Amino acid sequence: MSEHIKLFIPGPVEVRRDILEAQTQWMIGHRGKAFESLFARIQTKLRTVFYTQQRVYLSTSSGTGLWEAAARNCVSDDPDAGVLATVCGAFSERWADVFERNGKATTRLTVPEGEPITPELVEAALRARQADPTKKPFEAIAIVHNETSCGLTNPLAEIVAVVKALSPETLILVDAVSSLGGVKIEFDALGLDVLLTSSQKCLGLPPGLAFAAVSDRALAKAHTVRNRGYYFDFVEMEAFLRKNHTPATPAISLMFALDRQLDDILAEGLEQRFARHRCLAERTRAWAKQRFALFPREPYASDTVTCVKNTRGIDISALNAFLAQRNMHLSDGYGALKGKTFRIAHMADTTEADIAALLAAIDEFLGE
Ligand SMILES: *Cc1c(COP(=O)(O)O)cnc(C)c1O
């Protein structure tokens, strides 16, 4: 095996050795009994992790594939309807772009990076829509729960409450790629319609799988939408899910690892897991405020990734070269924030000792 560099980047994250090794089981066919029981076990556990009694589709793709799925299944090509895409950073902007490139009428609600999407802004956008006689209600709203590019968590429950009150027919599509499994998100209780994530972030798996809880309401909508495509068609996924199958050959090796990791996640306990993430975040934030500053407005700072404002103007590449000698690696700022910020992920199976070692190493670099 190659040298082990511990990853503190917001995906792909560090994966435990036994999870990596779980991928090396003998191959099984995806139309046989062994697969069906693997799929069924995984489905039961995924529903627990997503807090849903509806369904969780498993996709052999990264999370981006399920962005496309949400766009193609939940929004029609009606130019007078479409999606309200909330944008608060690089990932939410990219999801808005996915809607557009799939030919969906896309209305952006954009805030500066580091600022949250507030319920007040969503309310204003929904009211403006209602006041426009040439337009129909939004078919969907898209929200990135945890904007990984700037380490910010949006107030999801408050936003959802506004949508339910003002525009109950609007489907609520949520990207929780960098939060699901690290922060509590109750799909059924919140009344969400699509909640998607990737394997390589808070779930602590290698990249290659993505998951989406999908409501009955979203599935019913998909039946009415034309041109859903093939690979990401919810109607197709549903028909196969009912037989404990996937439409095409899935990444079976990754499913072996997932089966094992979901056991470990549930053995840790979801509440305990969320508390651990919060604890690691508090520790990292306290350090960041002492040495630098937080980039996002503090009450909205993420519990899974801390985006530090580079107030000392340190060279992030030099920092990473220094950390590499200690077998650690963190993330530079994303896009326009490169050099101006750096990011420390504290998600998945990261421990207090891991974070303590990383922060001590950065202090050594700083000469603190
Ligand atoms: C990483 C990330 C994505 C992209 O996911 P992929 O699995 O790389 O396709 C989307 N949204 C957020 C918030 C992310 O952090």
Side-chain angles (χ1 to χ4, degrees), residues 104-269:
K104 312 298 180 176
T106 305
T107 304
R108 281 180 174 72
L109 165 57
T110 305
V111 295
E113 272 194 307
E115 292 293 324
I117 303 292
T118 63
E120 292 77 17
L121 288 169
V122 172
E123 177 174 349
L126 294 175
R127 288 203 189 281
R129 185 66 169 210
Q130 283 166 349
D132 183 346
T134 68
K135 297 287 186 193
K136 298 176 188 162
F138 291 114
E139 292 165 88
I141 177 172
I143 306 155
V144 169
H145 176 236
N146 192 68
E147 180 48 86
T148 317
S149 64
C150 54
L152 178 136
T153 305
N154 285 304
L156 182 62
E158 289 82 351
I159 295 169
V160 168
V162 165
V163 178
K164 297 273 178 205
L166 287 180
S167 191
E169 66 273 59
T170 300
L171 297 178
I172 302 174
L173 317 178
V174 179
D175 166 327
V177 174
S178 61
S179 51
L180 195 129
V183 177
K184 190 177 204 170
I185 310 170
E186 294 176 288
F187 184 78
D188 286 352
L190 284 169
L192 305 181
D193 293 291
V194 173
L195 177 61
L196 64 95
T197 197
S198 309
S199 54
Q200 78 279 12
K201 305 222 175 159
C202 291
L203 296 174
L205 290 157
L209 289 177
F211 316 99
V214 172
S215 70
D216 294 339
R217 191 166 84 130
L219 185 59
K221 168 81 180 187
H223 278 277
T224 72
V225 174
R226 291 183 305 163
N227 299 323
R228 296 187 301 276
Y230 189 89
Y231 196 64
F232 294 115
D233 180 5
F234 286 166
V235 175
E236 200 79 18
M237 287 183 185
E238 179 68 16
F240 281 86
L241 178 131
R242 286 171 176 274
K243 299 180 290 188
N244 289 317
H245 285 190
T246 52
T249 319
I252 296 169
S253 306
L254 282 167
M255 291 175 69
F256 291 141
L258 170 66
D259 188 30
R260 169 92 188 243
Q261 175 68 330
L262 288 170
D263 282 340
D264 290 352
I265 288 172
L266 296 174
E268 179 180 12

Side-chain angles (χ1 to χ4, degrees), residues 3-17 19-20 23 91 146 148 176-182 197-209 211 254 257 261 265 273 276-277 280 302-306 327-331 343-351 354-355:
E3 197 188 359
H4 179 195
I5 302 281
K6 200 164 256 195
L7 298 180
F8 291 91
I9 61 177
V13 300
E14 172 79 7
V15 180
R16 295 194 336 264
R17 187 80 183 232
I19 299 301
L20 289 173
Q23 294 178 93
F91 287 98
N146 192 68
T148 317
V177 174
S178 61
S179 51
L180 195 129
T197 197
S198 309
S199 54
Q200 78 279 12
K201 305 222 175 159
C202 291
L203 296 174
L205 290 157
L209 289 177
F211 316 99
L254 282 167
Q261 175 68 330
I265 288 172
R273 192 173 174 85
R276 175 168 56 79
H277 278 81
L280 296 175
S302 165
D303 279 348
T304 62
V305 54
T306 293
N327 290 8
M328 294 185 259
H329 183 67
L330 54 65
S331 209
R343 292 169 302 156
I344 300 171
H346 28 75
M347 57 177 78
D349 297 326
T350 306
T351 65
D354 294 331
I355 286 295

